[in-house]
């Protein structure tokens, strides 16, 4: 999925090789062992077809130590509600397993589909911060 330009458009635009993906899997495995959260694969319930991935992870380089909820979907699976469902599952996991931790979401300022998902999750726009080496729109829960 990360080799597709349309998936990586708002994530730096750089597609990944198989070697990049294998290194990512190693990092994700280490994060699960260390923190008890990271990326997981999202499957459609009926067909068991992979539709994308979701995450709950500590926002890399964030001085506030916040958890980030995020998602990415295969192009053929976008617009079907999977991002909202996966995002809600990640938020629920975070609230159960990391009570009291602040959960945010970040996205490229022009990635309005992700902004809409964040709003459907009950998050509100909190401003622009630099993450992943670029300005990102940040959404947070009002109670956080």
């Amino acid at each position: 999925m990360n080799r597709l330009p349309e998936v990586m458009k708002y994530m730096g635009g750089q597609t990944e090789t198989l070697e990049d993906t294998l290194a990512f899997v190693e990092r994700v495995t280490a994060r699960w062992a260390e923190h008890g959260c990271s990326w997981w694969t999202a499957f459609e319930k009926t067909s068991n077809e992979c539709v994308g991935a979701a995450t709950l992870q500590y926002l890399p380089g964030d001085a506030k130590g916040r958890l980030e909820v995020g998602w990415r979907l295969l192009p053929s699976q976008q617009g079907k509600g999977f991002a909202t469902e996966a995002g809600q599952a990640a938020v629920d996991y975070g609230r159960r397993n990391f009570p009291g931790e602040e959960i945010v979401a970040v996205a490229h300022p022009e990635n309005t589909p992700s902004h809409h998902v964040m709003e459907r999750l009950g998050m509100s726009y909190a401003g622009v911060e630099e993450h992943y080496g670029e300005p990102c729109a940040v959404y947070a829960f009002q109670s956080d």
Side-chain angles (χ1 to χ4, degrees):
M1 164 172 63
N2 292 354
R3 67 179 171 79
L4 302 172
E6 56 268 43
V7 171
M8 303 306 287
K9 177 180 179 179
Y10 293 118
M11 291 178 249
Q14 184 68 35
T15 58
E16 295 183 358
T17 65
L18 176 59
E19 291 78 20
D20 295 331
T21 299
L22 293 173
F24 176 74
V25 169
E26 286 184 26
R27 288 191 306 275
V28 165
T29 302
R31 286 186 204 146
W32 272 105
E34 182 177 355
H35 301 295
C37 61
S38 192
W39 285 89
W40 61 88
T41 305
F43 295 92
E44 197 278 329
K45 292 176 185 176
T46 306
S47 69
N48 205 32
E49 176 185 353
C50 175
V51 297
T55 190
L56 181 75
Q57 65 182 357
Y58 284 98
L59 186 57
D62 183 52
K64 298 176 185 176
R66 298 172 291 183
L67 286 166
E68 172 192 21
V69 59
W71 47 84
R72 60 181 72 167
L73 298 174
L74 290 164
S76 63
Q77 303 303 323
Q78 295 173 2
K80 298 180 180 181
F82 292 127
T84 302
E85 187 175 355
Q88 188 63 60
V91 168
D92 293 346
Y93 180 87
R95 287 184 172 153
R96 267 191 324 274
N97 294 284
F98 301 90
E101 295 274 351
E102 183 178 4
I103 299 173
V104 300
V106 303
H108 189 283
E110 295 174 10
N111 188 351
T112 54
S114 279
H115 298 200
H116 294 311
V117 171
M118 295 167 192
E119 291 166 357
R120 283 193 293 278
L121 294 174
M123 303 174 110
S124 299
Y125 178 74
V128 174
E129 298 174 6
E130 185 165 322
H131 296 285
Y132 302 102
E134 60 185 53
C136 291
V138 178
Y139 282 71
F141 293 101
Q142 287 299 314
S143 60
D144 290 346

